[in-house]
Amino acid sequence: NEYTGQLENTLLDGATFEIYDEANNLMQKLTTKNGGTATSKELPYGIYRVKEVSSPRFFLPSNKEYTIEIKENGKTEVLEVYDESVKLGTTVNKTGVRETQCLDVIRYDFTNIKNTSNVSLDNFVWHDALPIETKIQKIYTGTWNENLRYKVSFKTNFDNNYRLFKDNLFTNKNYELDFTSIPLQADEYITDYIFEFGTVKAGFSHPAFCLRLWRWWCQDIRPCL
């Protein structure tokens, strides 16, 4: 586990299990400790279901349900359960022109914005800092593969705090966000924008492409990326 440093097949403390009888009555709840083991009380003859209901931090609980049959007096039935390590990751691809001329309108495409983790992520965001030689015009948001509401905010060279631009946007709709409609002071320009989604599931992604149009207002030809 890259977060705890524990090697594969390490016995884990803190995993909680529930044991149910054939009538679906909860017979016992127990948590592993003292080296990653737990022992139930003696159970009458019968068939029992065992499932993990919570796992140690940075591990995923097993999604399997296990069956044990008690049919011999004094015999201990051993159950070994494997918990997968949590893996965290995100991706984003950005492509566009590398050079442009003064006053050209240019475009960047964003693809593969994704939660590559095997768990949900809280406060999932992506943002982009703009080159100072540009003025943002429009963003075409594209659509996402999970139904959520999100918001878009921005910063300017006059204020380092994010200001809300659009709220209650739906991930299954493609929006044209016109940043030229934002009232700004003289010599004020947008330096950064951010999309905020809250909690997203594993695999949350942007399957459709996202476009952004900028206007280049420098004096010379300069690289954009």
Side-chain angles (χ1 to χ4, degrees), residues 2-3 58 60 84-89 115-119:
E2 62 179 302
Y3 307 105
F58 299 116
L60 298 176
E84 183 182 357
S85 296
V86 164
K87 296 179 176 63
L88 302 178
N115 173 17
T116 59
S117 312
N118 58 4
V119 293

Side-chain angles (χ1 to χ4, degrees), residues 17 35-36 44 64 93 114 127 150 177 193 214 224:
F17 296 85
K64 296 180 181 179
N93 294 333
K114 187 175 183 179
H127 81 102
Y150 66 99
L177 304 182
Y193 65 88
W214 288 345
C224 298

Side-chain angles (χ1 to χ4, degrees), residues 212-224:
R212 186 175 71 228
L213 303 182
W214 288 345
R215 179 171 292 280
W216 186 261
W217 57 284
C218 66
Q219 300 301 314
D220 308 306
I221 297 177
R222 296 187 184 179
C224 298

Side-chain angles (χ1 to χ4, degrees), residues 37-78:
T37 62
T39 303
S40 74
K41 63 184 179 182
E42 292 186 350
L43 297 168
Y45 293 145
I47 297 175
Y48 297 89
R49 294 183 298 106
V50 183
K51 60 182 180 181
E52 186 177 6
V53 294
S54 67
S55 57
R57 193 180 184 200
F58 299 116
F59 289 87
L60 298 176
S62 172
N63 57 8
K64 296 180 181 179
E65 189 171 88
Y66 302 87
T67 301
I68 288 181
E69 184 175 4
I70 305 299
K71 58 182 179 180
E72 184 177 337
N73 186 38
K75 181 181 179 182
T76 300
E77 298 292 338
V78 179

